[in-house]
Amino acid sequence: MSKFDLKVGKLSEEDVTYQGEGDFISSCRTWNEEWIVTDEKGRVVDRKIVERMVTTGMSGMSDHWTYCSNCGKIFHEAWEDLCENCRK
């Protein structure tokens, strides 16, 4: 069981842009969310407004916001479970 809980609230509607033509059209969706990480007792450990982004098409990708499983800090890092400070 995780010692942290993540609450996410969407703050804006999605903004969609398109690129390309024909079979090679792709889209990019962006929106803002408020992330709140709390500990086991419900105390706020970290709070951040994050800009989310997802692209579709030939090079589909998404952003990589997460929170540290050790200290609860919200950070933007692809494929990491621990923030920079906890990895040291």
Side-chain angles (χ1 to χ4, degrees), residues 11 32 40 54 58 83 87:
L11 297 177
N32 291 325
E40 297 152 325
V54 175
M58 297 293 285
C83 68
R87 287 192 306 256

Side-chain angles (χ1 to χ4, degrees), residues 6 9 13-14 21 24 29-30 34 40 43-47 49 53 63-64 67 71 74 77 79 82-83 85:
L6 174 64
E13 295 299 316
E14 292 183 13
E21 57 186 55
F24 299 102
R29 299 182 351 247
T30 58
E34 179 179 38
E40 297 152 325
R43 295 177 295 213
V44 173
V45 175
D46 198 7
R47 170 181 275 158
I49 294 179
M53 183 263 309
D63 55 14
H64 296 285
Y67 65 95
C71 73
I74 297 167
E77 185 74 37
W79 322 121
L82 299 174
C83 68
N85 287 337

Side-chain angles (χ1 to χ4, degrees), residues 28-69:
C28 179
R29 299 182 351 247
T30 58
W31 66 96
N32 291 325
E33 295 176 342
E34 179 179 38
W35 283 28
I36 301 171
V37 176
T38 56
D39 66 10
E40 297 152 325
K41 295 183 179 180
R43 295 177 295 213
V44 173
V45 175
D46 198 7
R47 170 181 275 158
K48 189 175 296 267
I49 294 179
V50 299
E51 183 179 33
R52 302 299 311 271
M53 183 263 309
V54 175
T55 62
T56 61
M58 297 293 285
S59 61
M61 60 176 268
S62 65
D63 55 14
H64 296 285
W65 284 98
T66 190
Y67 65 95
C68 180
S69 62

Side-chain angles (χ1 to χ4, degrees), residues 11-26:
L11 297 177
S12 67
E13 295 299 316
E14 292 183 13
D15 181 33
V16 182
T17 57
Y18 298 94
Q19 288 182 281
E21 57 186 55
D23 291 340
F24 299 102
I25 196 162
S26 65

